Amino acid sequence: MRDEITIEAHAKVNLTLEILGIRPDGYHDLRSIVMPVSLSDTITLTRTPAVFSLTLTTDRGISAVQIGPVEKNLAMRAARLMKDRYGVRAGVRIHIRKRIPVGGGMGGGSSDAAGVIRGLNELWGLRRPDEELAALGAELGSDIPALVLGGTVLMEGRGERVHRLALDGPVRGFDLVIANPGIHCSTAEIFSRWKSGLTTPPKMVQNMAFSIRASDVKRAASLLHNDLEAAAFEGYPAIARLSETLRRVGCLGVLLSGSGASVFGLVRDRAQGEEICRRLEADGIWNVLAHTCPMV
Ligand code: C5P
């Protein structure tokens, strides 16, 4: 058994996100293709005899204040849940180097929790299967099961039903520019602003899955869809403006990431992405050039 493990906890984008209705428990029924991206937090887990602790260092543009108190942190809660569920005596020291914007709709907190669940499974020698760990993650947050599973995932229900999309071998993935308007969006608020009524194009999942397999970025860009976008634009005009900016500077397709506030744009290639990032930088807009990681 190892005493220390380092994990890259990848951010995610939802290339499609359909809302199918509201459930009796107040959550929304979703269908979404989730893909990890190269932007990641780095988590180090160190075995301790019994103590639990969490420390964080943050990269530019991420304020420690936004992250909130340690005891409420999803990574810490994931560690306690693992300990209680599996009756583990040992403790863990968690250190997270944060690069994923907080409240940005990129699954930052959820990804940290997913990384802690996977990492502790190894550090504590628990050998629990992925499906069980994903179900455990669902107890903490709707995005966590998809991130525990990793890779390109079709997420359904509240987020608890997940399976990997069959990609039939390695695919190239897409280059994308992620930008953040410097505001924090509450997931609950954006969901509550959502209004039903708009019909979604047919065969969305099948068509997007085909574009991913074919690494056809133009087709994927034309298929990007997020039912929460209208609600986010209405509540936060700065997001709508940022989305417009990404289109104007040449992204092939632009979409709200999850429930916002980040927006991402698919680009032709890395060179175009670098050029777009330079222009956003010049306007003082937080941005990062990333690549989807279909297989992570
Ligand atoms: O599951 P999680 O705690 O991440 O969800 C945060 C909030 O987002 C929920 O309290 C709920 O208001 C909303 N939500 C939803 N339907 C989902 C996922 C989240 O309504 N499928």
Side-chain angles (χ1 to χ4, degrees), residues 34-45:
V34 182
M35 247 180 151
V37 299
S38 50
L39 175 67
S40 63
D41 291 343
T42 304
I43 306 179
T44 310
L45 301 174

Side-chain angles (χ1 to χ4, degrees), residues 1 86 120-130 132-133:
M1 248 188 274
Y86 299 119
L120 287 180
N121 189 46
E122 212 179 313
L123 190 76
W124 289 340
L126 300 170
R127 297 168 188 265
R128 309 313 303 181
D130 284 354
E132 185 179 313
L133 297 176

